[in-house]
Amino acid sequence: MEEKLRQLQVEANGAIEAAQDVAGLEEVRVRYLGRKGEIADIMGKMKDLSNEERPLVGKFANQLKNEISAKLEQRRRTLGTGAAETEKVDVTLPGMQRRLGHKHPITQTMERINEIFLNIGFRILEGPEIETEFNNFTALNIPQDHPSRDAFDTFYLEDEFLLRSHTSTVQIRLMQKERPPLQAIMPGRVYRPDATDASHSFMFHQVEGLMVDERVTFADLKGALDIFAKQMFGTQTRVRFRPHFFPFTEPSAEVDVSCIICKGKGCRVCGQKGWLEILGAGSVDPAVFKAVGYDPRQYTGFAFGMGVERIAMLIYGVDDIRLFFENDLRFLRQF
Ligand SMILES: [Zn+2]
């Protein structure tokens, strides 16, 4: 009988080691320690033993029970480790940093531009990116076959619809709906079929502005843009107007600011000129007023438009417009 117990000891140890999960261990426990298990079976037969043998076998059987119990418990802990470990918190580990997102540099720049004009009485208006030919060209004094359409030509959709080439379309929508006085800026995405390179993209962002009332003059335009330039680029910034042609303004000008890098002395960024072109502007052409049903003898106004990417490139010192649209976080995280 002692021989039988030694055999059970070996078997039980092997079974405990072989058990792959808690359910397997429970089977082992029932087989050896259960009420009808192997050890209970031996205990039941002890009455047949001699008086000398009985206490020895009884002692060994009890030792074996305890041993199997201990090994089952030990094995259960080992098997349970996987699940238990993951719930443990190791307070000595360095914390996991979650990087917070932030606004895209183009959005940040556009919001800064909007804020400056909001502070001097302009309101913000938005409009659709899919527009009519009338709103994008005809109403802005750019009739069909006019050569200046080429400069603004765009992506045509079906019928008379197209992707707007400037946010001036929102000016037309505003003037068709409301009467002066009007004072608004129009931020948004615009499209032109330009080949993409370091300074061109087929899609970019604009902020345009419009002011219409009786007796609005070119001096009002200069004043508004001077405030903008000083708040955007610094109080030392100077502004200069160069005569230019736009179909929708007369007179028209391209507007430069003194170079924000060299302060006007001349450097690589400004091409040694000391000036940086930032926008186009002018007095609203009477033909535009006629197209929206205003009397050009009663009302005057000014309009301006700037590329947000251009401003962002100057402020942040970025030399390739494509970087803004590649979604490369290594680039975007810098702003
Ligand atoms: Zn410069």
Side-chain angles (χ1 to χ4, degrees):
M1 199 160 277
E2 206 172 324
E3 183 64 20
K4 171 78 176 157
L5 282 170
R6 289 193 196 288
Q7 205 187 318
L8 276 183
Q9 185 177 32
V10 174
E11 275 178 32
N13 284 340
I16 289 167
E17 282 307 308
Q20 289 308 305
D21 51 31
V22 177
L25 275 181
E26 177 59 15
E27 275 179 33
V28 175
R29 190 191 66 78
V30 170
R31 175 150 31 105
Y32 294 97
L33 304 181
R35 238 164 11 99
K36 291 177 181 172
E38 299 280 2
I39 292 182
D41 187 45
I42 285 172
M43 299 288 229
K45 287 170 184 159
M46 269 174 43
K47 58 183 188 303
D48 302 324
L49 295 173
S50 66
N51 286 341
E52 296 86 74
E53 251 189 323
R54 201 180 293 130
L56 292 173
V57 171
K59 193 180 169 197
F60 189 23
N62 275 323
Q63 277 175 359
L64 186 56
K65 251 167 99 172
N66 292 338
E67 185 186 320
I68 293 174
S69 281
K71 289 208 163 135
L72 280 169
E73 182 54 29
Q74 197 179 18
R75 180 74 179 146
R76 184 175 287 123
R77 280 180 204 200
T78 318
L79 286 177
T81 297
E85 269 313 89
T86 54
E87 288 171 23
K88 266 190 212 157
V89 177
D90 184 348
V91 293
T92 66
L93 283 173
M96 281 208 294
Q97 287 201 341
R98 288 185 199 280
R99 193 181 282 275
L100 288 177
H102 64 74
K103 285 177 181 165
H104 191 281
I106 295 301
T107 306
Q108 291 182 41
T109 306
M110 191 145 73
E111 287 183 350
R112 177 75 190 119
I113 297 168
N114 291 348
E115 190 189 323
I116 292 169
F117 285 106
L118 271 177
N119 286 342
I120 53 172
F122 287 76
R123 63 180 153 138
I124 297 177
L125 285 180
E126 289 183 324
E129 289 170 31
I130 294 174
E131 266 292 1
T132 62
E133 230 176 292
F134 178 82
N135 285 349
N136 199 76
F137 289 127
T138 314
L140 287 158
N141 200 27
I142 317 174
Q144 194 127 33
D145 306 323
H146 192 282
S148 69
R149 268 206 191 193
D150 293 345
F152 300 99
D153 219 342
T154 184
F155 298 100
Y156 289 88
L157 306 170
E158 280 176 10
D159 303 323
E160 46 144 15
F161 293 105
L162 44 77
L163 294 179
R164 67 182 179 189
S165 57
H166 38 209
T167 59
S168 318
T169 53
V170 188
Q171 302 184 16
I172 299 302
R173 286 170 174 270
L174 170 64
M175 289 189 283
Q176 283 173 330
K177 213 169 69 184
E178 296 180 25
R179 308 295 301 176
L182 301 173
Q183 204 179 349
I185 53 166
M186 303 84 187
R189 240 177 249 123
V190 300
Y191 303 84
R192 293 182 195 177
D194 286 335
T196 301
D197 62 26
S199 53
H200 293 84
S201 169
F202 57 86
M203 182 281 300
F204 60 98
H205 298 75
Q206 270 195 328
V207 176
E208 293 208 352
L210 175 73
M211 182 170 181
V212 182
D213 201 352
E214 294 176 4
R215 293 186 300 279
V216 171
T217 69
F218 205 89
D220 296 314
L221 169 64
K222 290 189 85 167
L225 293 182
D226 192 58
I227 288 170
F228 165 73
K230 285 183 165 55
Q231 293 199 12
M232 195 76 202
F233 303 109
T235 49
Q236 303 302 309
T237 308
R238 286 164 291 133
V239 177
R240 106 179 155 175
F241 287 66
R242 281 180 292 106
H244 194 72
F245 169 80
F246 295 115
F248 29 74
T249 46
E250 180 61 32
S252 304
E254 282 191 327
V255 180
D256 301 340
V257 291
S258 50
C259 178
I260 59 175
I261 309 294
C262 64
K263 312 290 176 211
K265 290 187 200 75
C267 70
R268 197 178 57 84
V269 173
C270 59
Q272 308 304 326
K273 291 195 284 272
W275 295 94
L276 297 165
E277 185 199 325
I278 57 157
L279 56 84
S283 295
V284 179
D285 195 294
V288 174
F289 285 147
K290 278 183 196 155
V292 296
Y294 287 1
D295 181 353
R297 285 166 304 180
Q298 185 184 1
Y299 295 116
T300 52
F302 66 74
F304 60 86
M306 68 187 90
V308 179
E309 280 76 1
R310 166 87 177 142
I311 308 273
M313 287 167 82
L314 290 173
I315 290 173
Y316 296 122
V318 173
D319 59 5
D320 193 324
I321 194 172
R322 291 169 291 197
L323 289 166
F324 289 123
F325 308 123
E326 286 170 350
N327 274 339
D328 186 338
L329 289 181
R330 291 169 303 174
F331 171 75
L332 295 174
R333 275 174 184 155
Q334 301 174 84
F335 304 101

